[in-house]
Amino acid sequence: MAGCGQTEPPTYGHLLRMGDLVTYKAHRLVLPANALAREYDVRDISPMIATGTVNPGNENEPLFHPEHGPGFAKAHKSGFKDWQITVEGSVDRPGAFSLADLRRMPSRTQVTRHTCEEGWSAIAQWTGVPLAIVLASCGMQPQARYVQFWSYDYYVDNIDLNDAFHPQTILAYAMNGRELPLGHGAPLRLRLERQIGYKSMKYLRKIVVLDHFDDPEGSHIRSGWSWYNGI
Ligand SMILES: Nc1nc2c(c(=O)[nH]1)N[C@H]1C(S)=C(S)[C@@H](COP(=O)(O)O)O[C@H]1N2
Ligand SMILES: [Mo]
């Protein structure tokens, strides 16, 4: 299941996109599939600002999604009691998980450095369930190649299976030992420690397992961001 054959980012035949492909191939060649990003001590935790969307329920946010923003605001108001994340696509058992469901699953805690493309970085402790465990519990189908994430704001992105099954790739519900704060992606965010900050999506709503690369409206790479941005 976690065989993780190489899957290449799309280049659309663009010269600049070829750079993505080269970085991707170099990383995949040089780093063992499970090479860990550096982990720090809790004493290294630093202040971290919340950036990008800080409340997807606020209609004044640039990435506010008219269809999903109001639902987020409602869920936030009730303390995410009825919130669920759905998992669908190429899995034997599509399903939905509440926060309680996710907290009952095995967890991983890691102190890691977040690096934003804007040039700042910060160290924080993240706790959550490894994505691999959630995917396995849904029965990944053998033809699956990508895992796509949808947020409550206008944000959709995907990763390959090498990253999806990496031990430090977690669905985080806690930060620095407390519930994930609103600004940092409550109630659930991705932590993808071997890529740059914008790949760690906040405010997760839906996970779709894909056989083929899908680059929908609102994805980063459509607006010119690298699909693979390893650090
Ligand atoms: N849904 C969503 N996820 C997101 C963003 C966003 O605007 N919306 N911003 C990204 C960027 S560019 C960074 S640097 C980090 C910021 O995480 P933080 O707010 O916890 O510091 O989240 C990433 N994930
Ligand atoms: Mo960022």
Side-chain angles (χ1 to χ4, degrees):
M1 177 186 62
C4 305
Q6 288 210 357
T7 26
E8 295 176 354
T11 62
Y12 305 104
H14 293 175
L15 203 58
L16 282 175
R17 299 280 190 207
M18 301 298 174
D20 279 22
L21 193 58
V22 172
T23 320
Y24 179 80
K25 287 204 161 173
H27 266 238
R28 290 292 178 254
L29 206 65
V30 169
L31 294 175
N34 280 343
L36 296 183
R38 181 171 170 194
E39 294 192 16
Y40 296 80
D41 190 87
V42 285
R43 283 173 307 218
D44 300 319
I45 290 173
S46 71
M48 180 165 175
I49 52 159
T51 52
T53 299
V54 292
N55 178 3
N58 176 356
E59 60 187 19
N60 298 318
E61 292 258 356
L63 296 180
F64 178 77
H65 196 298
E67 196 184 331
H68 302 293
F72 180 89
K74 208 168 145 223
H76 178 223
K77 227 171 161 178
S78 62
F80 299 112
K81 249 190 340 328
D82 301 321
W83 173 96
Q84 287 190 319
I85 188 166
T86 53
V87 182
E88 56 194 72
S90 298
V91 288
D92 294 333
R93 295 173 296 279
F97 299 86
S98 68
L99 276 177
D101 293 335
L102 298 173
R103 285 205 188 94
R104 268 194 298 272
M105 298 173 103
S107 74
R108 187 178 205 280
T109 293
Q110 58 206 30
V111 180
T112 51
R113 181 189 296 271
H114 177 99
T115 303
C116 171
E117 75 293 347
E118 287 172 346
W120 56 268
S121 70
I123 294 175
Q125 182 194 58
W126 307 99
T127 301
V129 51
L131 178 62
I133 290 178
V134 174
L135 293 175
S137 80
C138 296
M140 285 276 282
Q141 293 176 354
Q143 77 281 10
R145 288 292 173 272
Y146 299 93
V147 180
Q148 183 177 63
F149 302 90
W150 295 79
S151 286
Y152 279 91
D153 59 354
Y154 252 110
Y155 214 99
V156 50
D157 199 0
N158 48 53
I159 59 175
D160 70 358
L161 294 196
N162 187 317
D163 272 335
F165 286 96
H166 187 271
Q168 288 169 320
T169 299
I170 63 172
L171 300 175
Y173 44 72
M175 177 187 187
N176 298 335
R178 297 175 181 199
E179 252 172 49
L180 189 60
L182 176 63
H184 291 288
L188 192 73
R189 80 177 294 167
L190 182 65
R191 288 302 310 168
L192 189 69
E193 307 295 356
R194 296 187 310 176
Q195 289 202 55
I196 201 133
Y198 63 75
K199 296 287 290 189
S200 281
M201 287 175 66
K202 309 195 282 187
Y203 316 110
L204 296 178
R205 174 170 70 78
K206 179 169 78 167
I207 296 175
V208 186
V209 178
L210 298 170
D211 306 346
H212 302 286
F213 194 84
D214 171 44
D215 180 17
E217 191 80 41
S219 75
H220 288 109
I221 53 172
R222 276 217 189 183
S223 27
W225 299 68
S226 292
W227 175 71
Y228 186 81
N229 206 331
I231 46 175

